[in-house]
Amino acid sequence: SRGKRVPVPPLFQLRDFLLVYNRMTELCFCHCVSNLNYRLLTGHEETCLESCAGKLVHANHRLMRAYVALMPSLVQRRASDYEASAAQASQISAPEGPAAVLPALAGAGG
């Protein structure tokens, strides 16, 4: 046995991660790198990039925590809305009492 297998995320999650990563890289690069005449980054550029990336990762983690905290109430609200619309749709399509059945019965005998 090879040990535990790491689950592969769905393709859309990978795409979303790569979009966020690429955007973060672009933002930090544009903010921190000012001189493209050298192959290596300066000490100031390296420090700036580390700080920039750290801030963005930290902000992303805070947003995800807030999203996870709100998720149960959002799911509950969607379920309630769905149940209400399903109940409303069933009331519209259901006949209204015995009076609605009588014309159908009268036409069936004829």
Side-chain angles (χ1 to χ4, degrees):
S1 98
R2 294 183 176 189
K4 290 186 178 182
R5 294 186 74 178
V6 176
V8 178
L11 198 53
F12 70 91
Q13 287 179 339
L14 180 61
R15 182 185 62 91
D16 289 347
F17 168 77
L18 290 175
L19 287 172
V20 169
Y21 179 80
N22 287 338
R23 183 70 178 134
M24 180 184 76
T25 303
E26 181 183 356
L27 284 170
C28 291
F29 183 86
C30 290
H31 178 73
C32 296
V33 178
S34 57
N35 189 348
L36 299 176
N37 293 329
Y38 305 103
R39 289 182 64 152
L40 300 176
L41 297 171
T42 65
H44 175 71
E45 290 171 333
E46 279 190 39
T47 304
C48 179
L49 288 168
E50 288 175 8
S51 174
C52 178
K55 285 179 183 177
L56 290 176
V57 167
H58 180 69
N60 189 4
H61 287 174
R62 288 181 62 195
L63 284 171
M64 291 309 294
R65 278 195 301 270
Y67 176 75
V68 167
L70 287 173
M71 196 59 188
S73 62
L74 292 173
V75 169
Q76 180 62 38
R77 191 166 85 197
R78 281 189 183 167
S80 298
D81 291 347
Y82 176 76
E83 289 170 0
S85 65
Q88 185 179 21
S90 68
Q91 287 176 353
I92 291 171
S93 64
E96 296 182 18
V101 176
L102 290 177
L105 293 176

